[in-house]
Amino acid sequence: MPDERRLVTVLFADVVGSTALGESLDPEDLRRLLSRFYDLARQVIESHAGTLEKFIGDAAMAIFGLPMAHDDDARRAIDAALELRDAVREDAMLGDRLPIRIGINTGEVVASRNEARADFIVTGDAVNVAARLQQAAEPWQVLVSARTASAAGDGHAFGPVEHLDLRGKAATMLARPVLGRTESRRARTPIVGRDADIAQLELVARRAFTERRPYLVSLVAPAGTGKSRLVEEFVVRVRDLAPDVRIAVAQCLPYGQRLTYWPMRALLLGLLDLPDDAAPDEVRRRATAWLADAGAEDPAGTADLLAATIGASETDVVDRAALFTAWRTAVEAAASGGPLVLLIEDLHWSSDSLLDLIEFILQPRGDAPILMLVLTRPELLERRTSWGAGRRNHVAMALEPLDSGSIEQLVQHILDGPSPELIPIVVQRSEGNPFYAGEIVRSLIERGVDLRDPEAVAAAAKGLPDTVQATVLARLDALDPPARRILQLGSVFGRGFAPPAVAALESELGDGLDDAIERLVDRDMLRPGVRGELTFRHILIRDVAYGTLPRVERARHHAAAGRWLEASASGREDELAELVAFHYREAATLSAATGDANADVAARAVTWLRRAAEVAAGARGMAEAAAHLRAAIELAPPAEQPEMYQRLGFVHYAGDPSAAAFEAAWTLGAAQGREVDFLVDNLAQQLMVTCRWFASVARQPSLAEIEALIARGFEWLPDASDGPRARFLVATSFMPFWL
């Protein structure tokens, strides 16, 4: 690369007291210790995408931001420093024999590649300051410049600011020690720049209600563009348009694994006017009575299918079409008494089965004044490019960035007046995103900046973070510790959480929990939801709060969340199975990743994942059931895997995944000395899928392979009981069909 001025973060790690250590150790022993330190430094720094620039005597120098810059290079450097410090301190060879200290600084440098050595030559005051900070640090301490601490944002706990007189520096240097990893209500702002979007929504609603024709509206826009605020305004206006309108709200959860039909649970409870903790029997009873009053055919059967969708039924659903029809019947029944609005938020996190269900519901079977409004990010269209395609009753809306005039109006309302010094900065930084604009202004207010002082505004604006994540982190830093902790713990549960759930994760918050929540609501970080639940005002607040938690804490809190849900699931185990399974799975996965695997948590995860798979399969969500089983297999001990592979084969029961699952079941079973009946049964199922349903199998075995399978089965057959023997013989009878 040519010479460049670049913003980088420089890390210096040095051994404390190496001179005295050299006097007491043989040179070969000292060399072995330093070589171990160098190896650890290289591994840790490279694992965080840093560049180990060079070793200088007993010190290591690393650069973050070369040859490729990242928007979190300062954070990467601090993480690497903490990991390196802990790795050296916990190393059996090094331990207290080789204490280190680390200094980190962010600044501009000139970098050039040394063609002869194929590494970098970095020059600039930022390098010198990092070296001086390392010299000023205490043993085992990580000392960073104030600029690095600011650039890193949240995710680390810092000690108080220290004013250091560093050798060779004329001005006092501000530095902070790294302590470790951490991680009255304002009036609603007016909606600006969205008149045309509101008018379009009102027009569609008017047509849906007056023409009694269902409509599906997809509001597609990136995070922070104002989808939720637009819908809030629409809900107010639609009540004026149709005073008897009924509105039911559901929300998809931001989990790594998508919960099959979880949002439909909120819709059903809302339509039935039931509390969140309603017992399964009450759900079925109320649904039956409600459907009967609406004149639906087979109210009891339909109610049981609805309950099965959310895990509140005692029977499995064997017919996916029947389940979908039941939901369409329920929605039509809800609309029989007047206009109905179904609002589903964050659809991009939904399961594929839920997408299928939503599209099916909106296929008109008769006249019905229904408007379904779904909010989603563009990622949904990447997953399902055909979403809404070809449907005459589907309307897709995209929210464009606001113009500068609208952003100016928004800022003036937040400030309750004009601010000529601030508005140009906000317009430039927000790039038309109303959430970004609001967060920038609020962060300045919360930091106590005098917005009428041009110099103060200019100085504060220079220190503003350049990304929304950094903006949110700045707001989190301004919170008092209890309020900030609530956001962190609440983020473990997703977009919304109940106060008792947070208290269950950290009992120390109990006394001041209500006051802290009130402060968060006043700051518009949280908003009260239905049934006492709290919702993050924006999903980015949740994402950033969750990102501040170290993996060890995440694992611990997910396990506690799983235990809390498990304890509160009495009588609703199937209904909550997927949520409980998610939390235990996250806890087990994170624990394993941090080297602190918890066998009990892993066992609970496997148990609930298997139950969640059965619930999903019972509602004909076979893709989700298979995903749950595969997750369980990853965490289960080998002795439990054969049965799970067998169940996975039945869940697929077509194609290569099914055949491979049955093969894995009997292969593992044979290696573990399982009973002959189990082996013959799985071999029979593999042959059945391969020979009878051969059209679904892409990887066709050879004739020799099929014959080998059959020969292996006949070896086991004499010891098998009648059932497995019969199934094997039936499977082999399809071999001529396969041929």
Side-chain angles (χ1 to χ4, degrees), residues 176-514:
R176 303 182 72 179
V178 182
L179 302 181
R181 299 179 181 85
T182 63
E183 300 198 316
S184 142
R185 190 177 308 176
R186 186 174 65 242
R188 185 171 59 178
T189 58
I191 188 166
V192 296
R194 300 298 189 199
D195 293 342
D197 300 306
I198 283 287
Q200 186 175 2
L201 281 177
E202 286 185 285
L203 176 61
V204 175
R206 187 176 289 108
R207 292 193 62 182
F209 298 161
T210 59
E211 299 175 8
R212 299 184 62 82
R213 182 152 63 99
Y215 269 92
L216 170 63
V217 178
S218 300
L219 194 57
V220 184
T225 49
K227 298 187 294 296
S228 298
R229 182 64 188 89
L230 180 66
V231 169
E232 288 177 1
E233 187 69 20
F234 168 71
V235 167
V236 173
R237 299 194 186 190
V238 80
R239 293 189 188 278
D240 295 333
L241 177 66
D244 60 338
V245 67
R246 192 169 191 178
I247 300 174
V249 182
Q251 192 169 59
C252 302
L253 300 178
Y255 291 149
Q257 63 181 45
R258 301 184 181 92
L259 304 181
T260 311
Y261 295 117
W262 179 259
M264 305 307 289
R265 175 178 180 273
L267 282 183
L268 181 59
L269 296 179
L271 293 174
L272 299 177
D273 295 323
L274 285 173
D276 186 62
D277 58 351
D281 290 343
E282 177 65 11
V283 173
R284 293 194 298 273
R285 186 193 65 77
R286 183 74 68 88
T288 301
W290 172 63
L291 290 166
D293 291 342
E297 296 182 7
D298 188 16
T302 302
D304 202 46
L305 287 168
L306 296 177
T309 311
I310 64 172
S313 174
E314 296 177 352
T315 61
D316 287 342
V317 179
V318 296
D319 188 348
R320 175 182 165 110
L323 183 144
F324 281 22
T325 300
W327 268 103
R328 187 163 62 183
T329 298
V331 169
E332 291 172 349
S336 63
L340 174 66
V341 174
L342 302 176
L343 172 61
I344 302 181
E345 298 186 67
D346 300 325
L347 191 66
H348 46 278
W349 283 312
S350 68
S351 66
D352 290 331
S353 295
L354 178 61
L355 297 179
D356 294 337
L357 175 58
I358 290 173
E359 289 190 309
F360 183 86
I361 290 174
L362 269 293
Q363 293 176 3
R365 191 169 50 176
D367 296 338
I370 302 171
L371 173 65
M372 179 177 285
L373 179 57
V374 300
L375 279 61
T376 180
R377 295 181 189 173
E379 294 93 294
L380 173 68
L381 303 182
E382 297 175 5
R383 279 178 52 206
R384 181 168 292 201
T385 56
S386 62
W387 173 252
R391 299 186 183 279
R392 292 181 298 170
N393 64 333
H394 176 248
V395 177
M397 295 177 56
L399 296 186
E400 299 298 328
L402 296 178
D403 56 42
S404 58
S406 298
I407 293 292
E408 184 173 347
Q409 292 180 45
L410 181 65
V411 174
Q412 289 182 357
H413 180 84
I414 295 174
L415 298 177
D416 198 21
S419 178
E421 298 81 11
L422 180 60
I423 286 175
I425 298 173
V426 176
V427 169
Q428 180 184 9
R429 294 288 181 93
S430 66
E431 297 183 352
N433 188 303
F435 174 72
Y436 298 1
E439 292 305 293
I440 291 172
V441 175
R442 288 165 188 146
S443 67
L444 288 174
I445 294 174
E446 292 173 3
R447 291 163 58 190
V449 177
D450 184 357
L451 302 180
R452 294 167 297 182
D453 183 349
E455 294 184 1
V457 170
K462 290 180 181 179
L464 283 178
D466 295 328
T467 65
V468 177
Q469 182 181 10
T471 303
V472 176
L473 285 171
R475 290 195 69 197
L476 293 181
D477 278 346
L479 294 172
D480 57 275
R484 188 171 181 275
R485 191 60 175 166
I486 287 171
L487 293 183
Q488 289 179 309
L489 298 176
S491 69
V492 173
F493 291 90
R495 180 70 179 267
F497 60 93
V502 169
L505 265 60
E506 200 158 284
S507 58
E508 291 82 357
L509 291 171
D511 294 338
L513 183 62
D514 292 339

